[in-house]
Amino acid sequence: GYHKLVIAGLGSTMVTPFMGVALVADMRLASPLGVFSLAHRKYGLHPSGAIPFFLTHYLGHSKAIEIQLSDKISAEESFRLGLVNQILPAENFTRNCIRYIQPYLDNYRSTLSMTKRLNNFKHRWLQEYLDHESSLMNL
């Protein structure tokens, strides 16, 4: 329900739960060094942080399952799949991210807010999903 633009930067390695946090962002930017590390598999855990929820919505069931059972996803693969909007140079990565998003920030505040509200409508099932994920872990 947040009505401001949220940007996630993948400058290096991001492990499973933080990948879920990144997938909730409106845009994701990566450096060529960026990797989503699906470390949950090493410990016999499920992919937490709503990763199944978001990947299924972004990529469809089959590809989402394939990715969740893999070891890692490179920045290039993430870009090809549409999980990352742009790959930016690693040197001065934060500054490059700010330059990239500046044109989007120049929109009217009402345009950004209403665009977010309309796009967030699809997430109305997210809380139900998170409750289900918690129940599987007996929380």
Side-chain angles (χ1 to χ4, degrees):
Y2 192 64
H3 303 301
K4 297 186 186 225
L5 206 56
V6 176
I7 312 297
L10 177 60
S12 60
T13 301
M14 185 177 289
V15 294
T16 303
F18 298 104
M19 179 183 180
V21 172
L23 290 175
V24 78
D26 300 308
M27 290 185 188
R28 287 161 298 283
L29 307 173
S31 83
L33 308 173
V35 174
F36 287 120
S37 174
L38 298 158
H40 64 279
R41 294 181 56 239
K42 291 186 218 177
Y43 305 103
L45 301 171
H46 74 289
S48 60
I51 289 174
F53 178 87
F54 289 112
L55 286 180
T56 301
H57 282 82
Y58 293 150
L59 305 174
H61 179 82
S62 296
K63 193 63 174 176
I65 292 286
E66 179 184 330
I67 287 174
Q68 292 168 71
L69 298 177
S70 66
D71 291 325
K72 62 184 176 181
I73 311 166
S74 68
E76 294 81 18
E77 177 73 0
S78 297
F79 178 72
R80 190 182 66 71
L81 292 169
L83 299 175
V84 166
N85 296 76
Q86 189 70 37
I87 297 176
L88 302 171
E91 187 174 329
N92 297 314
F93 180 64
T94 301
R95 189 173 308 157
N96 290 325
C97 289
I98 293 168
R99 277 192 211 122
Y100 180 84
I101 64 168
Q102 190 59 54
Y104 299 102
L105 300 178
D106 291 338
N107 281 290
Y108 285 103
R109 188 177 301 169
S110 61
T111 300
L112 286 173
S113 176
M114 294 308 285
T115 300
K116 284 280 303 213
R117 286 173 187 234
L118 291 168
N119 281 276
N120 284 344
F121 185 77
K122 72 179 186 290
H123 293 309
R124 63 188 182 272
W125 298 291
L126 179 57
Q127 186 59 54
E128 185 177 338
Y129 171 86
L130 291 171
D131 291 343
H132 180 65
E133 184 179 286
S134 295
S135 74
L136 291 175
M137 296 186 307
N138 296 319
L139 295 179

